[in-house]
Amino acid sequence: MRRLMASIGILAAVALLDACATQPQPLPDRATALRMAQERRTLPVEERYSHQDAGDELSTGNEVTLLVDGPANFAAMIEAVEGAQEQVDVETYIFEPVGVGAELIGALEQRASAGVRVNLIYDSIGSLGTRRDVFAGLEAVGMRLCEFNPVNPLRASGGWSLNHRDHRKMLIVDGHTAFTGGLNISGVYSASSSPGGQPRHLDEEGDDPPWRDSGVKLRGPAVARLQQLFAQTWASQGCGDYTPLAEPDPLPADPDARRRDVRIVASGPNSNRASNYAVLRSAILLATDRVWLTTAYFAPDDGLVADLRQAARRGVDVRLLVPGPTDSALLRWAAKSHYPELLEAGVRIFERQDALLHAKTAVIDGYWLSVGTANLDYRSFLHNDELNIIVIDRDLAREMEELFVSDLAHSVEIDAADVAERSLLDRMKGWFARLWEYWL
């Protein structure tokens, strides 16, 4: 989620200064990746995607449930929080006590008042619109708060870098159940993107579009890794003592639930590799059948564009789903500027029309899928702390593909004729946005 006036404006103002001190993080070597991919494409799909290119090793025996849109995600999170007995850890980019976001915050306050340890990490810029007295009220009921990279450097306990943002979202209950995905704690998720499963027409409704997003509920040994990441962020900001509460292998909530292989992919500018970027590119290079990507913001580097073009040219069904309505005009202009070269190679592009698409997912070859916080842009690749969950499972991949097809039913496909009809002004907007792509 982007707040163009609050976030992009501030980041653009410090971009030149920050560039003097910050060098781009190294990206994977494409020639080496291509050579390895050519060898591994001949392997059975089960072996092809089990290789560790980046991120953690595969964690086996996890329950993973795909949750679609705000109502389903927040209902599950609130239910879990209400049952918390010892500790709840929350990390979010935007913390906004409005609508369904206020309902979750109310549940957190209630558990904190009952003696449950509640720890909250929130990003300073992402939560810029939330009043300080809201946070003071949370502290008053016993919640422990950690502001990530405060806008005011005088409040920073660790190193200060305004361009380094915490874009991760996670909620962990009692060390055994976790939630992550694209959803912030915000009122925009109060409604489903397609009430009753019927497309909405924004020009007829005349109101703000609902938000379309995806998340997962996770239970199993991978939860311990998420809590470890939470602890690292808490410590990096000098937010005081923190005690992880994680069960290495919690008992399944449902004994009959399918256990799945999961890989946690966490990345950020303090690491020596853009892990979420490396993992996705590796999977695209390995694809032999289909690559279906959903992203809220599309401002890729040349390497990712080349991978998508090459995949389409070798016969892979490459589809890209991006927003129609959006909360960032600059990023929409940047995305459109990439359409011609992608379409020319055979990549199919769709724009969701009746909701504000905020999901960040991928499903490849009906076997490999990703749900998380990282968009397909430089900011997610290099500047933000991000978190993606990779699941290796045919059944869940099939579920994700069905969701993707459902999204396409609410979208329009962009073709070469649409691109050719772009006005000179639209082309100039794309050119201007590309100048800022690295920082958007």
Side-chain angles (χ1 to χ4, degrees), residues 47 65 97 188 212 316 323 334 362 404 438:
E47 297 180 37
T65 304
V188 300
R212 162 73 185 88
V316 176
F404 188 88
Y438 181 84

Side-chain angles (χ1 to χ4, degrees), residues 182 212-214 280 284 291-298 308 318-323 348 350-352 356-364 368 370-377 388 400-408 411:
R212 162 73 185 88
D213 219 327
S214 295
L280 177 63
I284 292 171
V291 172
W292 292 356
L293 307 177
T294 301
T295 187
Y297 310 110
F298 187 68
L308 294 173
V318 181
R319 305 186 190 191
L320 175 66
L321 177 63
V322 295
R348 299 178 66 185
F350 300 83
E351 293 182 347
R352 175 80 192 233
L356 201 155
L357 182 69
H358 193 252
K360 306 97 167 54
T361 65
V363 57
I364 297 178
W368 183 101
S370 170
V371 181
T373 69
N375 292 293
L376 302 183
D377 60 8
N388 281 21
M400 181 70 78
E401 288 185 332
E402 291 172 354
L403 178 59
F404 188 88
V405 171
S406 175
D407 280 326
L408 295 191
S411 306

